[in-house]
Amino acid sequence: MTKSGGTLTRQRVLEAALQLIDQEGLEGFSMRKLGAMLGVEAMSLYNHVESKRALFDGVIELLITQDPYPEQPHATPREELWAFAHAFRDILRAHPHVLPLVATSPLRTPATLVTLDHLLATVQRAQITGVEAIYALQCLVGFIVGHTWIEMGTQSMAGLEPGPNGPMVWQQFPAERYPTLHALLPEIAQWNPDHEFDFGLQALFQSLFE
C-alpha cells in the first residue's frame, strides 16, 4: 500500500516513472524520487520491477502500448506502417525526455515484442523477407526517432538551454561566402516539421515498397 492508500502495482510504478521523466528528464530521475512520488521506500519498487533497467524497459512498453498497433486486415503494408509512423511520432513528441531512452534500448518485454512481431509481419507482407525485414523496420524506426529528436531539440535534454535557431545565426554570416544557404533563407522560413516528416517518410517508403 502507498501513503495515499492505493495498491502499488507495476502499472502504477511505470506510469509514475514516466511522469517523473517527463518532469525532470532522465538526468533527474532516481528510484528514490520515484518512491517519494508514490509514497513508498525506493526498495519497495523492486517488488514490481527487477531493476532500474527493467523499469526503463517498462516505460518504453508503456509508451508503445498507449496506442496499440491495430489490426488492419484490408490495409496495405504501406498504409499500416504510415499510420504506425505517425502514431509513434505523436507519442514521442508528447514525451521528449524519453527520446534518448527509446533511441538506445531494444524492445525486451513481452508486450513490446507483440508490437515488434506485428510490425515485422507487416513488413514481410510487402515481400521484404529475411534479415532485410529487420533492416527495413530499423530504418523506419530510426527515421521516426531521429527526426523527432531533431525536431524536439533541447526539450529532450533536461537542463540544456536552447540557443538561437539556425536561420538566425546563418543570416549573420556573409552571403558571398555562403551564397546557396543565403538564397534559401526565405524558403527556410516556411519550414514545417510535419511536412518534412512526411517528405522523409515518403522517400523511405518509395525505396522500400516501390
Side-chain angles (χ1 to χ4, degrees):
M1 299 284 289
T2 65
K3 291 180 180 178
S4 62
T7 301
L8 193 62
T9 63
R10 178 176 181 270
Q11 182 71 15
R12 283 195 65 195
V13 170
L14 298 181
E15 289 173 353
L18 178 59
Q19 182 181 351
L20 182 58
I21 294 170
D22 283 343
Q23 292 172 354
E24 301 199 23
L26 291 169
E27 301 86 348
F29 179 91
S30 72
M31 299 299 276
R32 179 185 58 78
K33 289 181 181 178
L34 180 58
M37 176 181 287
L38 289 165
V40 301
E41 294 294 328
M43 290 304 296
S44 300
L45 302 173
Y46 295 106
N47 294 321
H48 305 279
V49 291
E50 294 179 359
S51 62
K52 189 175 180 180
R53 177 68 267 176
L55 175 72
F56 285 161
D57 288 345
V59 168
I60 294 172
E61 173 189 311
L62 188 63
L63 290 178
I64 291 177
T65 57
Q66 274 185 5
D67 187 12
Y69 186 35
E71 294 282 351
Q72 300 182 56
H74 303 297
T76 65
R78 181 179 184 136
E79 290 168 341
E80 280 198 44
L81 293 172
W82 185 275
F84 164 76
H86 284 83
F88 191 33
R89 176 180 180 237
D90 288 344
I91 291 169
L92 295 177
R93 292 172 80 189
H95 304 280
H97 288 311
V98 186
L99 274 165
L101 190 60
V102 173
T104 56
S105 305
L107 302 182
R108 284 183 280 234
T109 69
T112 56
L113 293 180
V114 169
T115 298
L116 177 59
D117 188 79
H118 192 163
L119 288 168
L120 286 171
T122 302
V123 172
Q124 289 182 338
R125 285 200 296 114
Q127 308 305 311
I128 305 172
T129 59
V131 71
E132 290 188 352
I134 297 174
Y135 294 162
L137 187 56
Q138 287 278 62
C139 287
L140 174 59
V141 173
F143 171 72
I144 298 166
V145 174
H147 184 276
T148 308
W149 202 342
I150 291 172
E151 177 191 350
M152 302 309 293
T154 56
Q155 292 185 51
S156 64
M157 301 296 290
L160 183 62
E161 292 295 326
N165 64 30
M168 288 181 60
V169 174
W170 301 337
Q171 63 187 356
Q172 298 175 17
F173 289 89
E176 59 272 15
R177 187 169 183 180
Y178 308 100
T180 306
L181 187 59
H182 270 263
L184 282 172
L185 283 176
E187 303 295 329
I188 292 173
Q190 303 174 34
W191 175 80
N192 180 289
D194 297 330
H195 295 168
E196 182 181 75
F197 183 79
D198 284 350
F199 178 89
L201 198 58
Q202 180 75 18
L204 179 60
F205 279 18
Q206 283 177 349
S207 175
L208 292 175
F209 304 124
E210 295 181 1

